[in-house]
Amino acid sequence: MAERTVLVTGGTGGLGGAVTAAFLKAGWRVVVPARESGGTAPSGPIHVVRRLQLGTSDAAPRPEAVAADLLEPAGAARAVEVAVAEPAAPLRAVVNLVGGYASGGLVHETPVEEFDRMLRINLRPTYLVTQAALPHLVAAGGGAVVCVSARAAVAPFPGAAGYATAKAAVLAFANAVAVEYRQRGVRCNTVLPSVIDTPANRAAQPDADHRRWVPPAEIAAVIRFLASDESAPTTGASIPVYGRA
């Protein structure tokens, strides 16, 4: 039986699958919020909708998936409530992977609605889930929050002002959490990927040198380390995970 729980948002994505697998291998109970097929989460009682099929056999440990819309406070609270539902495996870590990317024109060519959308999908779930989880992490005696920003937050490139701004906001938020909660035993660190070597990114950039991209499993190992007691002295760190990009 697992003795600690991690809540992984975005756990079904290209990076999320590797992160989930890394925690399962390390013996954690893993809870993964997911939207139902209709795109909306239920408004009624909490329920686990399925076991995600990441194990190699029926006996292999698998994450629990809970239906929740993380863009809404009620959805974030629902996900956290499932994560804290096992007293024998208290919530000790939150990994915020939910986000999105869109490129476009220069700032004067980008509608404010697109700029707002980048902030909404990258910052809002990170804020809401962390906000809901922090009291439980404090009550459990401490824990870790790991956020995913991006290299673009510190090295922007043309055509992605909304994305770069949103990821910079995630970084600033994580640093604020680190300062506010370090005396309460909760650490918060951020990883900054460049281009992650996922099937979606390869399809979007088929002519790129994929050897320079960082594999999801390598980023997952860093995230698992930052969530573990092995990184106990570390909070407020911004960790570049650029590979050879």
Side-chain angles (χ1 to χ4, degrees):
M1 295 292 293
E3 297 180 353
R4 52 190 173 176
T5 295
V6 58
L7 175 62
V8 181
T9 74
T12 60
L15 175 58
V19 170
T20 297
F23 278 99
L24 289 172
K25 184 177 180 180
W28 291 64
R29 172 178 173 254
V30 181
V31 174
V32 176
R35 287 184 178 230
E36 291 186 307
S37 59
T40 58
S43 58
I46 297 167
H47 65 285
V48 174
V49 293
R50 66 185 184 278
R51 292 277 180 168
L52 295 178
Q53 302 298 313
L54 294 183
T56 56
S57 69
D58 290 341
R62 293 171 180 162
E64 298 177 17
V66 56
D69 182 355
L70 301 184
L71 288 170
E72 299 300 331
R78 178 177 294 111
V80 171
E81 190 167 343
V82 170
V84 302
E86 295 290 345
L91 179 65
R92 298 305 301 270
V94 174
V95 178
N96 291 303
L97 302 180
V98 168
Y101 168 77
S103 60
L106 301 179
V107 170
H108 77 280
E109 301 168 326
T110 302
V112 68
E113 292 80 8
E114 179 59 28
F115 186 84
D116 285 343
R117 189 174 76 89
M118 285 292 96
L119 286 171
R120 179 175 173 81
I121 65 177
N122 285 287
L123 181 60
R124 186 177 173 93
T126 293
Y127 179 84
L128 289 175
V129 172
T130 303
Q131 180 188 51
L134 280 167
H136 298 281
L137 292 172
V138 171
V145 178
V146 183
C147 299
V148 174
S149 179
R151 187 178 189 173
V154 295
F157 52 88
Y163 175 75
T165 301
K167 288 302 189 181
V170 169
L171 180 57
F173 171 69
N175 289 340
V177 171
V179 169
E180 291 187 359
Y181 289 88
R182 62 188 174 194
Q183 298 302 326
R184 301 185 183 189
V186 178
R187 301 176 294 109
C188 188
N189 297 290
T190 312
V191 296
L192 285 72
S194 53
V195 183
I196 305 173
D197 190 3
T198 64
N201 284 337
R202 286 194 174 218
Q205 302 180 55
D207 297 327
D209 184 356
H210 303 143
R211 296 171 300 174
R212 300 181 62 186
W213 295 357
V214 58
E218 293 185 2
I219 301 176
V222 176
I223 290 172
R224 191 212 59 79
F225 170 75
L226 291 172
S228 71
D229 294 339
E230 298 166 328
S231 61
T234 305
T235 191
S238 303
I239 311 296
V241 284
Y242 299 160
R244 291 187 289 155

